[in-house]
Structures are given as C-alpha cells and as structure tokens.
C-alpha cells in the first residue's frame, strides 16, 4: 500500500499566529551577550578586590597636638585680679542702688549677690566661650584652651570651672604659701596660655 502524501500547507494570509500569552520569551533567563559577569553580593567581598594595606609596624606615629605652655603665674594672677575687680564693681553698684531705693536688707543681699555673680558668669563663662577669654584675660593677652587638644572649651566645662573656681583659688593660695614644687592641676582640664604662643603653635585657633 502506498501512503497518501499530504498536500503542502499554504501560509496563512494573516501572518504567523500570535505567541501564546504564557509562553516564555526565547531569550528570557539566558545571559545577554553584553550583560557581563554577575556581580557578587554586597555582603561577600569580591575575590579580586584590592585589599587594604596593612599598617607597617615601623611607620612613624601620628603627630601629637601641639599644646602651648601655661602662662606664667604673674599673668594668671593679673587676669584673676581684673576679673574679680569687675565682679566687685558690679556688686558695689548694686549695693548703692539698693541703698538709694531703700530696699530691705535681704533684698539688698540678693541684689548684690546677683550683680556680682551674674557679671562673673557672663564674663568668665559666656564671654570665654564666645571669644576664648574673659575681660581680665584679654587685658593680659591670654586665652583659655583645653589641655588635650588646645581647642576652645565648651559651656559645660567652663561652667564647672566657674563654680569650682573659688575652691581652686583657695588651693592655689595654699600651694603658693607652702612653696610647693608644682601648682595644682586644673580639675576641668583647661589651661591659661599666652595668646602669642597659641597663635604660633595653633594658627587655626578660633576659626
């Protein structure tokens, strides 16, 4: 028996049938010719990434901050005397004003204490934070810096130093009377230095 040949199929005039909606694209999932190699995940290091160079044990140590030497006692005492005179002047003005106003004794004490301590706070805390020194320290050409990095102290440190300054003055006087070898260290980590020395060692101070 002979097989009956099938007639050749004629192409449809309407063109090829549309692709099936769920049929995957022939290039989907296959790597593109110019896509490049897949990148490693962000968590794992690349095997060919350059590694940071290990620090040599013979490398020179980092340069320490240059801290000026503390000002001489004559300058420190001069600044302290001028700042104290300013506070006493404010207290004296408040006392005269209270007497002329006829205030009671208790209110007069409040006015005198408020004027003296208030001016002292503005002078030695706020002004020192803004300008680097109080009026008395400006007069003797000195500045207040931190002992560790020669930067300008911030308000909390200056406030603690202002509160404990009265006790520190007493300890300082005792050390001077007994001629101790070293002056007592400042308990807040600040130092009074000459402005000339500070500008020579730390040109960027106050910028």
């Amino acid at each position: 028996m002979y097989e009956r040949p099938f007639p050749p199929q004629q192409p449809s005039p309407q063109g090829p049938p549309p692709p099936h909606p769920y049929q995957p694209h022939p290039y989907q999932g296959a790597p593109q010719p110019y896509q490049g190699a897949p990148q490693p995940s962000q968590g794992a290091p690349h095997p060919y990434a350059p590694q940071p160079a290990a620090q040599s044990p013979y490398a020179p140590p980092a340069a320490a901050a240059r801290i000026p030497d503390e000002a001489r006692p004559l300058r420190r005492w001069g600044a302290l005397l001028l700042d104290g005179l300013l506070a006493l002047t404010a207290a004296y003005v408040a006392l005269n004003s209270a007497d002329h106003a006829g205030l009671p004794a208790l209110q007069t004490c409040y006015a005198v204490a408020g004027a003296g301590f208030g001016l002292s706070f503005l002078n030695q805390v706020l002004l020192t934070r803004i300008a680097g020194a109080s009026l008395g320290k400006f007069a003797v050409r000195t500045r207040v810096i931190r002992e560790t990095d020669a930067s300008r102290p911030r308000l909390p440190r200056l406030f603690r130093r202002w509160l404990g300054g009265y006790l520190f003055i007493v300890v300082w006087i005792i050390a001077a009377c007994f001629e101790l070898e070293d002056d007592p260290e400042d308990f807040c980590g600040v130092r009074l230095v000459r402005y000339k020395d500070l500008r020579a060692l730390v040109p960027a101070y106050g910028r």
Side-chain angles (χ1 to χ4, degrees):
M1 296 180 65
Y2 296 96
E3 295 182 0
R4 185 178 179 180
F6 292 95
Q9 296 181 0
Q10 300 294 333
S12 175
Q14 299 179 357
H20 196 275
Y22 300 101
Q23 182 179 1
H25 195 274
Y27 298 101
Q28 184 177 359
Q32 301 296 328
Y34 301 103
Q35 188 176 1
Q39 300 295 330
S41 60
Q42 297 181 358
H46 196 280
Y48 300 104
Q51 301 297 329
Q55 185 176 3
S56 174
Y58 302 101
R66 297 180 298 177
I67 310 299
D69 295 332
E70 193 171 12
R72 294 184 178 275
L74 184 60
R75 287 180 181 269
R76 288 180 286 169
W77 281 106
L80 180 63
L81 179 61
L82 293 176
D83 290 333
L85 287 177
L86 288 175
L88 291 177
T89 301
Y92 179 75
V93 172
L95 178 61
N96 286 340
S97 299
D99 289 340
H100 288 298
L103 296 179
L106 184 59
Q107 295 184 5
T108 301
C109 292
Y110 288 158
V112 171
F117 286 104
L119 181 60
S120 177
F121 175 80
L122 293 176
N123 183 32
Q124 301 192 44
V125 178
L126 295 183
L127 183 60
T128 303
R129 172 54 189 161
I130 296 173
S134 61
L135 294 178
K137 297 176 179 64
F138 271 117
V140 297
R141 302 287 294 174
T142 55
R143 294 294 185 274
V144 179
I145 62 171
R146 293 182 60 181
E147 291 183 341
T148 55
D149 54 5
S151 62
R152 186 176 298 175
R154 296 188 178 275
L155 283 178
R157 187 183 298 270
L158 293 173
F159 181 71
R160 293 195 304 267
R161 186 176 184 270
W162 175 72
L163 284 180
Y166 302 100
L167 177 62
F168 184 73
I169 292 173
V170 174
V171 176
W172 196 8
I173 294 175
I174 294 175
C177 292
F178 286 93
E179 297 182 355
L180 299 180
E181 295 182 0
D182 298 326
D183 292 336
E185 295 292 335
D186 195 299
F187 59 91
C188 287
V190 299
R191 179 181 297 183
L192 188 66
V193 299
R194 293 198 311 168
Y195 181 68
K196 180 180 179 180
D197 298 340
L198 181 62
R199 293 297 293 175
L201 294 178
V202 190
Y205 175 80
R207 294 183 182 177

